[in-house]
Amino acid sequence: DGGITQSPKYLFRKEGQNVTLSCEQNLNHDAMYWYRQDPGQGLRLIYYSQIVNDFQKGDIAEGYSVSREKKESFPLTVTSAQKNPTAFYLCASSIRVGHTEAFFGQGTRLTVV
Amino acid sequence: GEDVEQSLFLSVREGDSSVINCTYTDSSSTYLYWYKQEPGAGLQLLTYIFSNMDMKQDQRLTVLLNKKDKHLSLRIADTQTGDSAIYFCAERGSGSSNTGKLIFGQGTTLQVKP
């Protein structure tokens, strides 16, 4: 079945450590996105990628980094520079940037301990 | 700037209709979306409406768009306990056509009582 897979579902990180969240899609979509969700708030865009080897900052990119070496994969690294990293992270993809429908993964809940 | 607002909570009885409301500020919005999020899960696209439409119906779901008032609503007929979830309104403005960026509301938690 086609879809987006995020792993792990739950992740714990010590303060000062970098951690990488995985996002893989087998939908042959060009565009991929990372959103952050905090309780009682909508989703905020961290980074997006229109095509392989290209990515752009979203609204809250500080403290995060991404790569897009393969079409299927768009990993997100939460660095120690991110002051408040505890949140629910959602990855999404669409056929191309601006296409009507975006498909979301099941999310990764990151907790800093 | 772009902003989307929703009420945070709605409680209904099973079998009743639910109406979830959303207001937005970007008059150039091209598409408006409704997503459903069940606990601990990702977002599922329920439906979307193009800005030149007033209404869209899909089985138990009816979307109404009032462009003049920048108001969007989602009506769920014959609400079931399985409809309990958080519902997000989102919009994509014409200025975002080259990013695909969606602006989300805070989400409305729908509680369906048996």
Side-chain angles (χ1 to χ4, degrees):
Chain A
D1 288 337
I4 300 178
T5 302
Q6 290 186 240
S7 61
K9 191 171 174 67
Y10 299 96
L11 190 56
F12 296 88
R13 188 196 91 174
K14 292 182 179 178
E15 283 192 29
Q17 286 183 339
N18 292 356
V19 66
T20 298
L21 284 60
S22 170
C23 178
E24 304 278 330
Q25 53 98 359
N26 60 4
L27 300 166
N28 201 31
H29 286 175
D30 282 327
M32 297 187 74
Y33 313 83
W34 274 105
Y35 288 89
R36 170 183 170 137
Q37 182 180 17
D38 294 284
Q41 296 189 36
L43 281 66
R44 293 179 289 168
L45 183 66
I46 304 172
Y47 268 97
Y48 66 98
S49 169
Q50 300 188 45
I51 201 165
V52 175
N53 293 323
D54 173 80
F55 50 83
Q56 306 293 331
K57 292 182 180 179
D59 297 321
I60 54 165
E62 186 175 350
Y64 298 99
S65 66
V66 293
S67 62
R68 187 83 188 276
E69 296 175 1
K70 297 187 297 182
K71 188 174 186 178
E72 303 80 19
S73 179
F74 191 41
L76 173 74
T77 297
V78 184
T79 74
S80 56
Q82 169 50 235
K83 298 304 179 193
N84 186 20
T86 295
F88 192 52
Y89 291 87
L90 287 159
C91 179
S93 72
S94 60
I95 292 175
R96 59 184 179 277
V97 165
H99 191 265
T100 305
E101 185 166 2
F103 293 84
F104 281 80
Q106 292 298 298
T108 293
R109 183 164 301 280
L110 173 64
T111 304
V112 173
V113 296
Chain B
E2 302 160 320
D3 194 19
V4 177
E5 296 283 337
Q6 298 176 241
S7 54
L8 294 182
F9 188 77
L10 175 66
S11 180
V12 301
R13 292 239 174 249
E14 191 174 19
D16 288 349
S17 292
S18 306
V19 180
I20 302 171
N21 295 300
C22 170
T23 58
Y24 59 97
T25 59
D26 185 359
S27 57
S28 68
S29 291
T30 53
Y31 288 95
L32 294 120
Y33 303 82
W34 283 105
Y35 281 88
K36 176 183 180 182
Q37 184 181 36
E38 296 183 1
L43 272 65
Q44 172 195 356
L45 178 64
L46 287 177
T47 187
Y48 64 90
I49 188 167
F50 188 52
S51 58
N52 67 353
M53 298 169 65
D54 297 323
M55 186 182 85
K56 181 177 180 180
Q57 187 155 2
D58 184 3
Q59 298 181 340
R60 292 192 297 123
L61 305 179
T62 303
V63 178
L64 295 178
L65 175 60
N66 182 330
K67 276 197 77 172
K68 176 174 169 290
D69 293 338
K70 300 192 188 76
H71 182 266
L72 182 75
S73 68
L74 174 70
R75 177 176 181 269
I76 306 172
D78 187 24
T79 312
Q80 304 296 307
T81 54
D83 295 324
S84 294
I86 302 175
Y87 290 81
F88 288 94
C89 170
E91 63 98 7
R92 176 156 62 84
S94 60
S96 300
S97 60
N98 61 342
T99 68
K101 173 182 168 182
L102 297 175
I103 307 296
F104 285 86
Q106 311 95 310
T108 299
T109 298
L110 175 64
Q111 179 190 65
V112 182
K113 296 180 180 177

